[in-house]
Amino acid sequence: MEMIVKNEKLKKWVNEIEQMCTPDKVHWCDGSKKEYNELMAQAVKSGSAVKLKKRKNSFLFCSHPSDVARVENRTYISYPSQIDAGPTNNWVAPDELKATMKSLYSGCMKGRTMYVIPFSMGPIDSPIAKIGIEITDSIYVVCNMHIMTRVGKKVIKKLGKEGEFIPCLHSVGAPLAKGQKDVPWPCAPMEKKYISHFPDENLIWSYGSGYGGNALLGKKCLALRIASAIARREGWMAEHMLILRLTSPSGKQYHITGAFPSACGKTNLAMLQPTIDGWKCECVGDDIAWMKIGPDGRLYAINPESGFFGVAPGTSYDSNPMAMESIKENTIFTNCALTDDGDIWWEGMDGSPPKHAIDWKGLDWPTERKEPAANPNARFTAPASQCPVICPDWEKPEGVPIDIFVFGGRRAGVVPLVNEAFNFDHGVFLGATASSETTAANIGAVGNLRRDPFAMQPFCGYNMGDYFQHWFDMGDRLGDKAPRIFYVNWFRKSQDGRWLWPGFGENSRVLKWMCERIEEKTEAVKTPIGLLPTIDSLDLKGLKIDKQDIKALLHVDVEAWRAEIPDIEKHFAQFGDRLPERLRKQFEALQERLK
Ligand code: GTP
Ligand code: SPV
Ligand code: MN
């Protein structure tokens, strides 16, 4: 199909990329259902995808076993000087990185079609939205972008003649020689993968991976790494946060954002079904929040995405019924198992496991080696509009006003169930020192404890020390309209390795306590690390939980907290003089309180 493109800058860029990558064909994506269906039909025909008999208009893709998650050690933030990328990002100078990548890009789309995807992050008419153009040679990417972002003609129209866009170049890095047969999931070997960002130029270049955040460039690359750098320059915030609306029995609305690291519970919390009487939860977004100060001085958040790219394993009617309802149809599944009756399956789904399935590697399952049927980072891609509890205001151009920021991570020990910051500065300290055990969302070891400040360690597009300062600056501008800050840990375990807290819908009890705190309706105990609920102030009505477990969940082990000090010290030391003085002060005050 032909689209009328009047933006000369866009035409010129597409032309340049075509010259460099030498695809067989160029296809401008119009974002239509017809386009989606035709591309999916092609993916099925070539053996890249399976159409599921059991779910309407839904497909399963299985990736190459080497290409199953984000690759943080191949992700680069490229400024002319390394200090601007900071100690938490990989860095290569722009000239050098571009030279390396240009030689990889040269001829890289041979034998393939080059797709041009005009997309909007955020509702097209939102003043907070941004336009990106992704060029890719992957059908999987085009179809996922159709769901995750707003794609097509309407974006080209909005862009007009002179509009600005963020260029996002992607290739799977697997050119085809004449007559060469394609593989189901083309990609390049690890040492040739590059996920590169040039924040000074608002430019993204990704090569060699077809998976998730490496390839769907609107998500982590644009909406977090590039957007965080823009947000700092322009005075707003781009955060790795879910957004939800909680309504109390009396009808009062609270808007809450939560920053937890990858695979640490954002999607689940965003769609939670409260287990406490009369409270209602609605989902605005499950992964990313863009937030600006509104005319009334409060902070407003939009979800820049239009779909969920959610962790599949562990998702069930029991744990996350709203996600299960969202993925009934029109969904792309990646690295899940295929059942004999033509549906998907993963570990932790309701009911008993199938007797036989084809696992994500394409092998008969169960295997002798008892490997999981679905990859631990298997995902579903579903339209947000299919979520039964999507908030009626989820596409409101100006966003929703935020009352509460929640930070957190996955910690088997030390960190209590919930902890309220003494004030905004202390809250920034809690965010800056957030820690979590690593998960399968990145390729690398799982279960290693690391600092993941504001859940942004893999996603901050500039020096993290400056990012901390930006948080203080935003807090200063918001003043007494700043959201209140809490820290949670759903993942504390007993000595024998059980979850101490039931989690999921029961997390509503903790959210309720937060709302009551801001209404000054409930008590807290002052501890060295922050304000904790008394056992009686948490609503535990109807919950079967051992008194000892609750005690353990709300226990502040001063000895264990003292043992955290050297690691916080090391974490802060890496920022040198870019560490805000106010964080240093907070750290000193914590040490004083722990004495
Ligand atoms: P990304 O999409 O990678 O950013 O992850 P996310 O933060 O959205 O995590 P998600 O909600 O998908 O949860 C990841 C895993 O943690 C899933 O296997 C969930 O079942 C599990 N999980 C989520 N919430 C809870 C909880 O409250 N308690 C426990 N024990 N597990 C949880
Ligand atoms: C994450 O890892 O935080 C994700 C999945 O949301 S990905 O899109 O692959 O980054
Ligand atoms: Mn995420």
Side-chain angles (χ1 to χ4, degrees):
M1 84 125 248
E2 268 310 311
M3 244 182 331
I4 301 151
V5 180
K6 293 184 179 153
N7 193 295
E8 290 305 321
K9 217 164 132 190
L10 173 56
K11 284 199 272 194
K12 184 165 166 273
W13 178 64
V14 170
N15 224 317
E16 272 168 28
I17 302 302
E18 185 184 353
Q19 300 299 316
M20 176 165 74
C21 300
T22 64
D24 286 3
K25 273 191 295 205
V26 177
H27 171 115
W28 287 75
C29 297
D30 63 7
S32 65
K33 279 210 170 76
K34 181 167 171 276
E35 176 175 83
Y36 185 91
N37 294 342
E38 283 172 5
L39 291 175
M40 274 302 188
Q42 226 176 294
V44 170
K45 189 161 170 249
S46 74
S48 292
V50 173
K51 188 165 177 9
L52 298 173
K53 286 190 202 117
K54 284 284 179 134
R55 278 171 214 253
K56 202 175 126 199
N57 192 30
S58 297
F59 301 85
L60 171 66
F61 286 80
C62 287
S63 77
H64 189 272
S66 69
D67 196 30
V68 296
R70 285 184 296 100
V71 281
E72 289 174 19
N73 64 344
R74 305 296 307 165
T75 300
Y76 295 87
I77 301 294
S78 180
Y79 288 96
S81 84
Q82 182 167 11
I83 187 70
D84 292 322
T88 60
N89 285 312
N90 298 312
W91 175 86
V92 172
D95 290 351
E96 189 189 333
L97 187 52
K98 281 186 183 168
T100 307
M101 290 190 75
K102 270 184 189 163
S103 72
L104 290 169
Y105 279 132
S106 164
C108 72
M109 294 186 188
K110 241 186 216 108
R112 299 187 185 279
T113 300
M114 175 174 124
Y115 300 92
V116 183
I117 315 169
F119 66 96
S120 172
M121 297 312 286
I124 292 191
D125 294 321
S126 168
I128 313 181
K130 295 242 178 283
I131 290 176
I133 309 286
E134 176 159 355
I135 291 181
T136 181
D137 51 7
S138 160
I139 287 179
Y140 172 81
V141 167
V142 178
C143 291
N144 273 271
M145 288 293 284
H146 265 234
I147 298 173
M148 294 304 295
T149 71
R150 290 131 175 118
V151 167
K153 278 185 192 164
K154 48 192 188 269
V155 180
I156 288 293
K157 194 167 162 230
K158 174 88 199 281
L159 188 63
K161 250 176 151 163
E162 311 283 343
E164 291 288 324
F165 63 92
I166 298 170
C168 311
L169 172 56
H170 172 252
S171 170
V172 293
L176 292 168
K178 222 188 179 111
Q180 185 184 343
K181 198 179 166 333
D182 202 1
V183 292
W185 185 278
C187 62
M190 191 56 82
E191 69 280 5
K192 286 190 178 163
K193 291 191 201 328
Y194 286 88
I195 318 299
S196 303
H197 308 73
F198 305 94
D200 279 347
E201 301 165 65
N202 286 346
L203 176 67
I204 299 161
W205 278 9
S206 166
Y207 185 90
S209 168
Y211 207 91
N214 299 331
L216 314 176
L217 302 185
K219 198 173 178 55
K220 302 300 158 113
C221 298
L222 192 161
L224 287 177
R225 298 195 191 96
I226 293 295
S228 64
I230 299 175
R232 179 185 173 225
R233 294 196 294 267
E234 296 179 352
W236 50 283
M237 307 170 92
E239 299 295 334
H240 190 204
M241 287 176 168
L242 70 97
I243 312 166
L244 66 83
R245 169 183 289 172
L246 195 63
T247 308
S248 77
S250 69
K252 177 141 193 207
Q253 291 180 349
Y254 300 89
H255 294 97
I256 302 178
T257 64
F260 313 142
S262 302
C264 290
K266 289 182 301 301
T267 301
N268 279 269
L269 194 69
M271 301 174 190
L272 111 163
Q273 290 282 280
T275 51
I276 40 178
D277 275 350
W279 289 74
K280 189 168 98 180
C281 175
E282 289 162 314
C283 172
V284 177
D286 82 323
D287 198 50
I288 299 176
W290 282 0
M291 297 177 284
K292 276 192 182 164
I293 298 178
D296 61 356
R298 298 185 66 190
L299 190 65
Y300 285 78
I302 67 158
N303 170 11
E305 304 188 279
S306 60
F308 308 123
F309 185 62
V311 175
T315 306
S316 67
Y317 273 97
D318 195 33
S319 63
N320 193 350
M322 295 303 115
M324 294 302 284
E325 287 291 313
S326 308
I327 61 176
K328 274 181 155 170
E329 54 185 22
N330 310 315
T331 299
I332 300 172
F333 296 91
T334 312
N335 286 348
C336 303
L338 180 67
T339 62
D340 293 347
D341 61 354
D343 202 359
I344 36 75
W345 188 81
W346 50 70
E347 279 67 24
M349 209 187 246
D350 314 79
S352 42
K355 288 217 165 53
H356 173 265
I358 302 295
D359 72 8
W360 71 278
K361 289 180 175 170
L363 303 173
D364 283 314
W365 185 90
T367 60
E368 271 173 25
R369 287 167 48 212
K370 298 210 159 54
E371 287 164 339
N375 181 277
N377 191 41
R379 298 262 170 176
F380 53 78
T381 317
S385 59
Q386 288 183 187
C387 181
V389 290
I390 197 76
C391 178
D393 288 334
W394 82 282
E395 295 190 282
K396 217 177 175 182
E398 67 274 29
V400 295
I402 301 305
D403 301 285
I404 293 172
F405 288 140
V406 185
F407 304 133
R410 189 183 276 270
R411 288 287 306 258
V414 188
V415 181
L417 179 64
V418 58
N419 173 21
E420 181 186 350
F422 297 121
N423 50 47
F424 195 85
D425 274 24
H426 181 232
V428 175
F429 176 78
L430 294 181
T433 53
S435 58
S436 194
E437 288 136 21
T438 52
T439 65
N442 171 46
I443 289 186
V446 169
N448 285 356
L449 188 62
R450 71 166 179 185
R451 297 285 152 192
D452 189 346
F454 298 87
M456 284 289 277
Q457 145 74 41
F459 308 120
C460 184
Y462 58 100
N463 189 309
M464 184 74 84
D466 298 336
Y467 169 86
F468 296 157
Q469 184 57 49
H470 185 53
W471 265 88
F472 286 120
D473 294 343
M474 290 301 295
D476 291 344
R477 282 175 57 205
L478 286 159
D480 61 4
K481 293 188 172 124
R484 286 268 281 271
I485 301 179
F486 296 82
Y487 195 101
V488 300
N489 177 25
W490 315 135
F491 299 93
R492 198 148 170 181
K493 285 187 174 171
S494 64
Q495 298 282 326
D496 53 343
R498 262 177 324 113
W499 301 120
L500 283 173
W501 179 248
F504 304 105
E506 306 293 0
N507 293 334
S508 56
R509 300 175 189 276
V510 176
L511 300 185
K512 177 184 171 184
W513 182 77
M514 295 176 188
C515 296
E516 289 177 347
R517 283 295 299 160
I518 64 179
E519 301 294 351
E520 296 179 28
K521 275 193 200 153
T522 194
E523 276 176 90
V525 228
K526 193 168 176 205
T527 80
I529 61 161
L531 301 163
L532 265 71
T534 59
I535 291 192
D536 299 329
S537 66
L538 266 188
D539 181 352
L540 300 177
K541 223 174 290 145
L543 178 66
K544 281 201 198 80
I545 187 166
D546 198 293
K547 198 88 188 224
Q548 287 311 312
D549 286 357
I550 277 290
K551 276 200 173 142
L553 283 161
L554 298 179
H555 180 57
V556 177
D557 179 348
V558 171
E559 239 358 274
W561 278 96
R562 278 192 201 125
E564 297 267 308
I565 289 174
D567 190 64
I568 298 177
E569 188 136 34
K570 203 173 115 202
H571 169 55
F572 277 179
Q574 56 178 332
F575 302 108
D577 62 6
R578 300 254 180 153
L579 186 79
E581 189 49 35
R582 281 152 85 174
L583 272 184
R584 231 185 289 271
K585 282 222 178 86
Q586 284 295 328
F587 186 32
E588 277 164 21
L590 171 68
Q591 286 168 283
E592 203 51 46
R593 292 192 302 267
L594 285 171
K595 265 189 187 148

